[in-house]
Amino acid sequence: MIWTKFTRSMTFVTVRICHYGSLAKLRPHIRSISHRSSYLDSRTHSIRPLCCSSPLLAGHASITLTVGLQPRRTITTDRLSWYESVADSTPVYLTEQLLVSAQQMTGLPWWASIMCTTLALRTAITLPLGIYQSIIIAKVEALQKEIAVLARQLRFEISVKAKEKGWSEKTCRFHFKKNLKRIVSELYVRDNCHPFKASLLIWVQLPMWVCLSLALRNLSLGMGHVPLEAGLATGGVLWFPDLTLPDSTWIMPVSLGLINLLITEIFALRQLEPSKFQKYVTNFIRGISLVMIPIAATVPSSMCLYWLSSSCVGLAHNLLLRSPRFRAVCRIPPARSDSETPYKDIAAAFVAKYIK
């Protein structure tokens, strides 16, 4: 029997185990409920150690067993953490409904349903945004020649103006940067290609990735809001038959890291003259790809399968966006980094950089 006494600041739990029979069979197994090791006695109004009293019948004397509580989880009335709040939010709940409905409508096993749903969402949402991103990047690259010409003309005008008014070098530099920024902004507005629009893909893809990951996590741990007719525990295949458990073979986590690294290297090979900032970003993404390997090995296989499927679809989309025919169909303007044989060039650059 368990009695719970509440105060304003904390919760005291008194656990009393009554057992009738042989003392040798008494094996109390109590999970941690509180970090406290004492309770409030309402009769004497005093603090006493938390213990379990087991009066044994048939002539046995009454004994007291002290229970050592390990701090695992505390019952509290505090607010949920930010992670629990996000996992219990409305977008995650709607994503759970989407996953369950897709599995029930198709009748596929859960592993196939997760892969097909990932492919459908990435193709319907992120691929059009990827095309739009390529259009913006191509327009920005096309403006670089015009910006260089206008910058030379502006520098000449600033030098003439400086001689007339006696400006110092610092003043000339200030007026040059100010006017060049205005000219570039006008060009971006004219061609409707502000570089910030190229980041629209990540602002849509990242929340979608978080919602799907948390939805699969809730469904795998039995914390979902949607009842499952066919559980994830039997929805796996091959070496991961139970999608609620982590992949103990590390096959999917390692594959996830390799795919992400391959995507990063393909993106890095496209940069003809990368700046220092671009190099820092590339190295940061490489580090994230490696850190994701042990993380993927600790989450349910359903989440790891989704991450791996999403990365594979992303790799396929990146290669598709390099195709000259596909770019022509999507009316993506030609860029300086375009090639008639993009896949051969990627393979040759990869071999030259990492093998030879």
Side-chain angles (χ1 to χ4, degrees), residues 62-306:
S62 183
I63 65 173
T64 300
L65 299 178
T66 301
V67 180
L69 295 180
Q70 299 178 356
R72 290 189 182 179
R73 196 168 187 177
T74 303
I75 297 179
T76 179
T77 57
D78 295 340
R79 295 181 179 179
L80 296 176
S81 63
W82 66 269
Y83 178 80
E84 294 174 342
S85 299
V86 173
D88 198 37
S89 61
T90 301
V92 176
Y93 166 68
L94 295 176
T95 307
E96 293 175 11
Q97 287 186 321
L98 173 64
L99 291 170
V100 174
S101 299
Q103 193 274 335
Q104 292 176 351
M105 290 176 60
T106 59
L108 296 172
W110 266 105
W111 66 269
S113 178
I114 292 173
M115 297 177 65
C116 292
T117 304
T118 303
L119 176 62
L121 291 176
R122 290 296 302 263
T123 303
I125 299 176
T126 60
L127 180 58
L129 292 177
I131 295 173
Y132 180 72
Q133 182 186 57
S134 299
I135 294 175
I136 297 297
I137 293 175
K139 288 183 177 181
V140 171
E141 289 185 3
L143 285 176
Q144 298 308 309
K145 291 183 179 180
E146 186 176 356
I147 291 174
V149 173
L150 294 175
R152 287 195 298 267
Q153 182 180 354
L154 177 63
R155 187 176 287 107
F156 175 75
E157 294 176 357
I158 292 293
S159 63
V160 173
K161 202 75 172 179
K163 291 179 181 180
E164 293 178 356
K165 296 189 176 183
W167 288 347
S168 63
E169 183 180 353
K170 183 177 181 181
T171 304
C172 293
R173 189 163 50 249
F174 169 76
H175 285 285
F176 175 78
K177 291 181 178 179
K178 178 181 178 181
N179 287 276
L180 182 61
K181 184 178 180 180
R182 175 182 56 81
I183 292 173
V184 171
S185 298
E186 291 176 354
L187 292 176
Y188 288 157
V189 173
R190 184 195 70 185
D191 291 356
N192 191 21
C193 61
H194 195 282
F196 182 77
K197 294 181 179 180
S199 64
L200 181 61
L201 174 62
I202 189 64
W203 293 112
V204 174
Q205 182 176 343
L206 184 59
M208 184 176 70
W209 184 86
V210 171
C211 288
L212 283 167
S213 299
L214 292 179
L216 287 171
R217 171 249 188 193
N218 290 346
L219 294 175
S220 300
L221 300 180
M223 302 170 60
H225 303 81
V226 181
L228 296 179
E229 294 182 1
L232 289 167
T234 58
V237 70
L238 299 177
W239 66 89
F240 54 98
D242 189 349
L243 291 176
T244 64
L245 299 178
D247 183 7
S248 59
T249 63
W250 283 58
I251 295 178
M252 285 195 294
V254 173
S255 301
L256 172 66
L258 294 177
I259 294 296
N260 289 335
L261 285 175
L262 183 58
I263 295 174
T264 305
E265 299 309 316
I266 291 176
F267 178 78
L269 292 174
R270 188 177 183 180
Q271 300 173 353
L272 301 178
E273 297 177 358
S275 61
K276 288 186 178 180
F277 177 75
Q278 290 176 332
K279 291 180 180 179
Y280 291 148
V281 172
T282 302
N283 291 330
F284 176 76
I285 297 176
R286 287 170 179 160
I288 293 297
S289 301
L290 294 176
V291 170
M292 284 298 295
I293 296 178
I295 294 178
T298 59
V299 300
S301 298
S302 59
M303 292 178 62
C304 188
L305 178 62
Y306 162 65

